Amino acid sequence: MSKRALEVLATGALALVEDLGRPGLAASGVGRSGAADRFALRLANRLVANSEDAAGIEVVFGGLTVRAAEQNPVPLTVALTGAPAPADIDGCPAGHHALLTLRPGQVLRLGTPATGLRTYLAVRGGIAVDPVLGSRSTDVLAGLGPPKLEPGVVLPLGPEPSELPLVDVAPVAVPTGGPVTLRAVPGPRADRLADPDALARTIWTASSRSDRVGMRLEGGRIERAGSGELPTEGMVRGAVQVPPGGEPVLFLADHPVTGGYPVAAVVLDADVDRAAQVRPGQCVRFVLVAPPWKDEP
């Protein structure tokens, strides 16, 4: 059994163990969950030559401090992706989107990112906490998976994969601090809204009430057409639901599996990861596009 481990010294606002979630269980009332920014977690895992669905640490707004356990027989290979939080190892600056080495006893610290919201830490071998329903992800809405990380937690690590890292640095763009434009297709219940085009006309602001369940948007209201209620139906990541107050909610990783409010639009899956990096106070715009499955005239 591997004796490798990572000790948590500080967590900042929130730090969670996340992989790519629990697919295929929505019919049983269990959402997929998983990393809010799946691209960032996949990239971190690729850098350290893990399977792309290996569990890593999702850090909200920086502040994570971890130490390579003294009993580790060899140094740990790690990578940081997502929001570019200033990082150092025992006081020496460390970069993002690159391979880093943590020798036994060395400490990695993250500061506050200048842009973006969520930073990902992958360790070669993956975080090996016990899986729940086939996943090591923490679902904050359902209360499934490992508890949120706290100082003093020791995270076991899996054995190193046989594959070796192929690149030292991945030159990728970091999340923007300016307005974010999200592409979306019209929702299946847009006809239940008095003016469905208001979603795309309005410049929205991400609310401080946003979390992994959904990004709450402020700056306008979308009125309902009529007073009739919808039957409860399935929801997906990226759905933009309009509750009675008229302020939309963009569902993220830990969204409920069902809902009864009109869905004004559904953000393209390619853009949902970017939405997970939007921080409170940042502006968001929606651009409605033709569904990719729609035949050309």
Side-chain angles (χ1 to χ4, degrees), residues 36 117-118 180 182 215 250 252 267 271-279:
L117 184 62
R118 294 178 169 93
V180 173
L182 303 174
M215 183 201 305
L250 168 56
L252 299 177
V267 173
D271 286 7
V272 174
D273 289 335
R274 293 195 301 111
Q277 292 292 357
V278 173
R279 57 207 295 175

Side-chain angles (χ1 to χ4, degrees), residues 34-150:
D37 184 344
R38 297 158 296 177
F39 172 83
L41 178 64
R42 285 187 173 110
L43 176 60
N45 276 324
R46 277 195 220 110
L47 282 166
V48 298
N50 283 343
S51 166
E52 70 170 15
D53 62 351
I57 301 177
E58 178 180 286
V59 187
V60 176
F61 215 53
L64 180 73
T65 303
V66 294
R67 177 169 55 207
E70 294 281 2
Q71 76 269 20
N72 288 338
V74 294
L76 302 180
T77 301
V78 305
L80 295 166
T81 58
D88 70 77
I89 297 174
D90 283 355
C92 295
H96 278 242
H97 310 112
L99 292 179
L100 305 172
T101 299
L102 279 182
R103 295 180 175 81
Q106 284 193 311
V107 174
L108 169 66
R109 296 179 177 84
L110 299 184
T112 302
T115 61
L117 184 62
R118 294 178 169 93
T119 303
Y120 290 83
L121 170 64
V123 184
R124 186 163 160 79
I127 306 296
V129 296
D130 292 336
V132 177
L133 295 178
S135 169
R136 295 182 169 92
S137 282
T138 301
D139 185 329
V140 299
L141 180 64
L144 285 175
K148 68 178 183 179
L149 298 181
E150 299 285 354

Side-chain angles (χ1 to χ4, degrees), residues 156-291:
L157 303 176
E160 293 197 16
S162 57
E163 295 80 4
L164 296 175
L166 297 178
V167 296
D168 294 327
V169 179
V172 299
V174 299
T176 179
V180 173
T181 299
L182 303 174
R183 296 168 297 168
V185 297
R189 304 301 177 196
D191 60 337
R192 296 295 189 108
L193 304 171
D195 183 10
D197 292 337
L199 180 70
R201 283 202 313 270
T202 305
I203 299 176
W204 304 96
T205 301
S207 167
S208 60
R209 297 174 291 134
S210 302
D211 55 20
R212 279 178 49 88
V213 176
M215 183 201 305
R216 299 179 182 274
L217 298 169
E218 301 171 340
R221 276 176 168 67
I222 300 177
E223 301 296 332
R224 303 268 195 102
S227 58
E229 293 299 321
L230 282 169
T232 298
E233 54 192 358
M235 290 291 135
V236 298
R237 187 190 300 225
V240 182
Q241 197 178 57
V242 182
E247 292 184 324
V249 179
L250 168 56
F251 281 158
L252 299 177
D254 290 349
H255 67 86
V257 296
T258 61
Y261 300 141
V263 173
V266 180
V267 173
L268 298 187
D269 194 61
D271 286 7
V272 174
D273 289 335
R274 293 195 301 111
Q277 292 292 357
V278 173
R279 57 207 295 175
Q282 203 165 348
C283 292
V284 176
R285 298 194 67 172
F286 294 94
V287 174
L288 295 180
V289 298

Side-chain angles (χ1 to χ4, degrees), residues 10-30:
T11 62
L14 180 66
L16 305 170
V17 175
E18 298 290 346
D19 55 21
L20 293 183
R22 303 176 179 86
L25 298 176
S28 301
V30 178

